[in-house]
């Protein structure tokens, strides 16, 4: 991929400042071989002063001509979700025809739907708007219980922090798990959620809430090569197994063992992308035990065997 990858973020008016800030927060932190991985520009239908959903004024100098120059187009959410600007709709439709990657955050999905990009596709939006999206655009397969969805070159994220997950997913797709996880650490956000390939509907883990079990999660991440039981996790946390399970579910949305398996598979995918380790060693390093177990879990998560996943997503230079 030529560096830098060009991203145009469309700011409707009024725009959600949180939606608008997420792509810049994450894409601007990407470096590959000492060079910026992305070049990001914010644009709008009518350059000049636009307002935010909170009533602030924001100056945006670039018009929608920036969309034609971009490799990826991200439509931020707006407080005027049911009346997409026809100029933005036209620009997004032209970008899709040109083969660009198109993404939306929160109510930005309404722009993609109005442009016809979501017809017959799976998509998501903020849960409070899902029913309205479904009603207005019945041909869209609205997924109301996921953080983000990728269907081909079109991606949609639900509300607020789900935009972070979607941007990390794009970074991982472009530059690999190691780069995406580095960006997550720099931005002080949760590690990259489950990745995947085109035509896959992604169902990542829920966003983590609370910090009672945070130290134990960090300890488990550092010891994924070990056999870890519920008793081991409870012992580290200094609580009973029952209390650990209750707190873990409250903070992560899943059980401790479900969370642990998810992290093991994510580590396996990162090793497949960034190393040439034999499959048995990958399996042991991430705690999945054997190459057969590795194959079973990676195939279930991605639809690919470990060898096929490595061939598709390896970040090793050919030599």
């Amino acid at each position: 991929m030529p560096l830098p990858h060009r991203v145009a973020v469309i700011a409707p008016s009024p725009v959600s400042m949180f939606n608008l800030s997420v792509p810049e927060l994450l894409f601007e932190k990407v470096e590959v071989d000492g060079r910026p991985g992305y070049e990001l520009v914010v644009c709008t239908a009518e350059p000049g002063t636009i307002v935010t959903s909170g009533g602030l004024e924001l100056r945006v100098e670039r018009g929608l001509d920036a969309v034609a120059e971009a490799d990826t187009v991200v439509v931020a959410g707006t407080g005027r979700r049911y009346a997409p600007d026809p100029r933005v709709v036209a620009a997004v439709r032209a970008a899709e025809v040109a083969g660009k990657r198109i993404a939306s955050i929160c109510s930005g999905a309404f722009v993609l739907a109005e442009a016809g990009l979501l017809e017959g596709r799976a998509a998501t939006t903020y849960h409070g708007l899902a029913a309205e999206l479904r009603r207005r655009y019945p041909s869209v397969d609205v997924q109301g219980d996921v953080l983000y969805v990728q269907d081909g070159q079109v991606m949609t994220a639900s509300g607020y922090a789900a935009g972070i997950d979607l941007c990390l997913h794009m970074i991982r797709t472009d530059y690999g798990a190691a780069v995406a996880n580095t960006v997550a650490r720099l931005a002080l956000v949760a590690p990259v959620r489950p990745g995947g390939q085109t035509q896959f509907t992604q169902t990542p883990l829920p966003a983590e809430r609370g910090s009672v079990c945070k130290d134990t999660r960090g300890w488990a991440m550092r010891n994924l090569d070990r056999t870890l039981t519920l008793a081991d996790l409870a012992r580290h946390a200094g609580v009973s197994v029952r209390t650990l399970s209750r707190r873990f579910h409250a903070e992560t949305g899943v059980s401790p063992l479900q969370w642990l398996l998810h992290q093991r598979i994510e580590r396996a995918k990162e090793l497949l992308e960034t190393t040439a380790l034999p499959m048995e060693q990958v399996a042991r390093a991430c705690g999945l035990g054997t190459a057969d177990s590795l194959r079973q879990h990676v195939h279930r998560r991605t639809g690919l065997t470990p060898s096929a996943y490595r061939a598709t997503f390896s970040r090793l230079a050919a030599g």
Side-chain angles (χ1 to χ4, degrees):
M1 173 185 295
L3 293 174
H5 183 94
R6 296 166 299 179
V7 178
V9 181
I10 299 178
S13 183
V15 66
S16 162
M17 280 293 290
F18 187 86
N19 282 191
L20 195 60
S21 66
V22 165
E24 180 179 12
L25 169 70
L26 299 173
F27 290 129
E28 293 289 340
K29 285 182 167 56
V30 175
E31 285 194 4
V32 180
D33 298 327
R35 299 169 57 195
Y38 295 94
E39 179 182 281
L40 187 141
V41 60
V42 176
C43 59
T44 191
E46 199 165 312
T49 301
I50 65 173
V51 297
T52 72
S53 54
L56 299 176
E57 292 187 346
L58 183 69
R59 187 157 188 84
V60 179
E61 301 291 347
R62 287 296 303 272
L64 295 176
D65 60 296
V67 172
E69 302 170 2
D71 303 302
T72 293
V73 179
V74 179
V75 182
T78 173
R80 194 176 295 151
R81 59 185 179 272
Y82 302 139
D85 189 313
R87 294 169 293 182
V88 175
V89 171
V92 168
R93 187 181 294 124
E96 195 266 344
V97 170
K100 302 178 188 296
R101 182 170 62 185
I102 315 292
S104 68
I105 301 175
C106 196
S107 59
F110 285 81
V111 174
L112 273 57
E114 186 69 18
L117 273 62
L118 301 184
E119 186 169 349
R121 294 182 186 270
T124 192
T125 188
Y126 179 60
H127 65 83
L129 304 176
E132 180 66 15
L133 182 65
R134 190 177 291 112
R135 184 186 67 80
R136 288 173 62 90
Y137 305 98
S139 64
V140 179
D141 178 14
V142 179
Q143 306 285 315
D145 58 351
V146 297
L147 292 181
Y148 64 87
V149 173
Q150 175 177 349
D151 195 327
Q153 285 288 92
V154 179
M155 307 179 184
T156 51
S158 57
Y160 302 104
I164 295 174
D165 295 288
L166 179 59
C167 289
L168 286 174
H169 171 66
M170 287 191 279
I171 294 169
R172 178 175 190 152
T173 300
D174 295 339
Y175 295 112
V179 172
N181 287 335
T182 295
V183 170
R185 287 193 294 271
L186 290 173
L188 301 178
V189 297
V192 64
R193 311 294 183 171
Q197 56 186 3
T198 57
Q199 305 302 332
F200 275 39
T201 298
Q202 310 301 333
T203 308
L205 287 181
E208 292 179 359
R209 304 177 298 275
S211 58
V212 173
C213 295
K214 182 178 180 180
D215 288 345
T216 296
R217 291 196 297 270
W219 172 78
M221 290 288 291
R222 295 190 296 273
N223 290 277
L224 290 178
D225 58 330
R226 294 176 48 189
T227 300
L228 297 176
T229 65
L230 274 175
D232 293 328
L233 296 172
R235 188 178 304 110
H236 183 274
V239 296
S240 69
V241 169
R242 183 176 180 179
T243 298
L244 174 85
S245 298
R246 184 178 69 253
R247 289 179 177 174
F248 224 95
H249 195 282
E251 293 185 14
T252 68
V254 294
S255 72
L257 293 184
Q258 286 174 318
W259 179 89
L260 190 59
L261 177 60
H262 169 80
Q263 303 303 336
R264 292 190 191 284
I265 297 170
E266 287 301 296
R267 178 67 55 81
K269 288 161 64 179
E270 181 171 344
L271 291 172
L272 290 171
E273 292 181 25
T274 60
T275 77
L277 290 173
M279 297 304 171
E280 288 287 351
Q281 290 186 32
V282 172
R284 288 196 297 271
C286 63
L288 289 176
T290 66
D292 285 342
S293 178
L294 174 72
R295 179 186 178 89
Q296 174 188 348
H297 288 295
V298 170
H299 187 272
R300 182 180 299 163
R301 177 64 57 81
T302 69
L304 300 172
T305 65
S307 296
Y309 185 90
R310 172 173 275 168
T312 303
F313 296 107
S314 175
R315 304 295 161 174
L316 298 179

